[in-house]
Amino acid sequence: MTSKLTSSFQQADPTEYATIWGLSQPHLRELLYQAYRSGSVVDDAQRFHASEEFRETVRILAELGKGPGHGYRLLDVGCGNGIACYAFAREGYLVTGCDISEGELAGLAGARSLIGLDGVYFQVINSDMEEIDVANTFDVIYMRQALHHSSDPIATVSILTRLLVPGGIFCAVREHVVLNRRQLQQFLASHPFHHITRDEHAFTLSTYRTAFRRAGLKMRLELFPFDSQINFYPGSHEALIQHLSRKVRVDLSRHAILRRLVLRLLAYKHQLRKEQLYSFFYQKPVSIEVSAPCVYSS
């Protein structure tokens, strides 16, 4: 009977089940802590709000004209336990989060528990990312490690772009990028939770770019694996720059062009071995013209 109940729970909410199972495994607890699924949603949300990753994301959005303090409407797609909903709402964004899980540690029950914390308010809806039904449009669509879960990122980006106002920013951060099918299979085989959730995936850089282009979005910024703290978390990007500076005997913090070159070369070296994290900031033109299918070479 217990086995049947466990199986039923796993099928009904695999992400929540994977989180609970992972917390019972000593070797996975630190990984879940870094993924803001420590078992304490309040602590996870407050840590994320204070993180360099979130600070850098907000800074970039501000540079792109969608910074805090202006009441911009933000849709957090695949919001999970609501850590980013809380963080963006705390900065003054008008936030709506959506997710398919109703879990207390990894889903919307956890997100709802954050509403009102530190005077922060936002709303959440239960929805799959390909079937979002909302009356509003949004100034920012934000996805953190969510787009790669889509079975069809090209269709998903197209659907979500319809919810974006002209001039709005589509922000997909920390997305898994692979070079080929062999690397994808290695990624899936080594993922600690894919055997439970069966929803992990990764795509080539050209696939992500094609998804944004076909939706009519224009690239504003692409962050390669070592370009930013956003992708480099939980490591310290500042420490990485210091380490590389010693290697090349040049203070890379003072030389932007050389720093970019060194970081891109490092990314290329690592990409040959395993999948890497990229972040994308694209914009919907004021007058949108959907482009013909176009495939980039990465």
Side-chain angles (χ1 to χ4, degrees):
M1 185 66 173
T2 302
S3 177
K4 290 183 178 179
L5 289 173
T6 299
S7 178
S8 178
F9 176 31
Q10 180 176 346
Q11 293 175 12
D13 199 334
T15 303
E16 183 76 0
Y17 179 83
T19 301
I20 294 172
W21 173 80
L23 289 172
S24 72
Q25 309 297 311
H27 68 290
L28 293 177
R29 288 173 189 160
E30 178 62 23
L31 178 63
L32 284 166
Y33 180 83
Q34 295 169 355
Y36 299 103
R37 291 181 181 174
S38 69
S40 172
V41 178
V42 170
D43 175 70
D44 293 337
Q46 292 175 332
R47 281 192 298 115
F48 181 73
H49 176 257
S51 70
E52 292 182 33
E53 176 198 332
F54 178 68
R55 296 289 110 194
E56 181 66 5
T57 301
V58 170
R59 185 192 67 78
I60 292 171
L61 287 175
E63 285 191 351
L64 298 179
K66 302 299 178 186
H70 299 283
Y72 288 122
R73 294 160 296 178
L74 182 145
L75 177 64
D76 182 359
V77 180
C79 69
N81 60 8
I83 58 168
C85 292
Y86 164 86
F88 279 112
R90 188 166 172 177
E91 294 300 310
Y93 290 88
L94 304 178
V95 179
T96 299
C98 72
D99 202 278
I100 197 65
S101 170
E102 282 286 352
E104 294 182 0
L105 300 179
L108 295 181
R112 293 188 189 98
S113 73
L114 298 173
I115 297 175
L117 177 67
D118 299 319
V120 168
Y121 292 89
F122 55 89
Q123 61 179 348
V124 296
I125 56 175
N126 184 299
S127 176
D128 188 82
M129 67 178 70
E130 288 91 0
E131 299 177 356
I132 297 176
D133 183 15
V134 292
N136 294 331
T137 52
F138 298 88
D139 302 287
V140 179
I141 289 178
Y142 173 82
M143 305 180 78
R144 183 182 189 271
Q145 299 183 177
L147 184 55
H148 70 270
H149 288 289
S150 170
S151 60
D152 186 348
I154 293 175
T156 297
V157 172
S158 179
I159 291 168
L160 292 175
T161 297
R162 298 169 193 167
L163 302 176
L164 197 61
V165 302
I169 300 297
F170 196 121
C171 169
V173 302
R174 296 176 59 81
E175 296 297 345
H176 291 286
V177 172
V178 292
L179 288 177
N180 48 45
R181 182 169 293 277
R182 177 185 60 81
Q183 203 171 77
L184 170 62
Q185 294 306 316
Q186 290 175 344
F187 166 64
L188 296 179
S190 63
H191 196 284
F193 301 110
H194 181 63
H195 69 285
I196 295 175
T197 62
R198 296 296 176 184
D199 69 344
E200 290 296 334
H201 206 75
F203 302 97
T204 63
L205 183 57
S206 64
T207 298
Y208 289 107
R209 287 172 167 171
T210 298
F212 294 123
R213 290 274 298 183
R214 288 193 184 180
L217 300 173
K218 303 299 181 183
M219 191 270 285
R220 296 298 306 276
L221 179 66
E222 287 182 342
L223 297 176
F224 280 54
F226 298 98
D227 285 355
S228 165
Q229 182 65 40
I230 294 176
N231 296 331
F232 200 61
Y233 171 84
S236 167
H237 194 251
E238 181 180 352
L240 172 67
I241 297 300
Q242 292 175 355
H243 171 72
L244 293 174
S245 294
R246 290 192 294 270
K247 287 281 189 180
V248 300
R249 299 183 180 180
V250 175
D251 186 356
L252 295 176
S253 65
R254 296 177 178 271
H255 299 275
I257 295 177
L258 180 58
R259 180 175 68 248
R260 176 185 172 89
L261 175 62
V262 170
L263 292 175
R264 293 295 170 88
L265 288 173
L266 185 63
Y268 177 74
K269 176 182 177 181
H270 281 254
Q271 187 86 59
L272 294 175
R273 297 204 303 264
K274 67 187 296 290
E275 92 290 340
Q276 298 291 305
L277 295 177
Y278 283 68
S279 294
F280 307 92
F281 294 80
Y282 276 67
Q283 187 167 35
K284 185 174 184 177
V286 174
S287 177
I288 186 167
E289 294 181 5
V290 178
S291 62
C294 177
V295 177
Y296 283 83
S297 62
S298 58

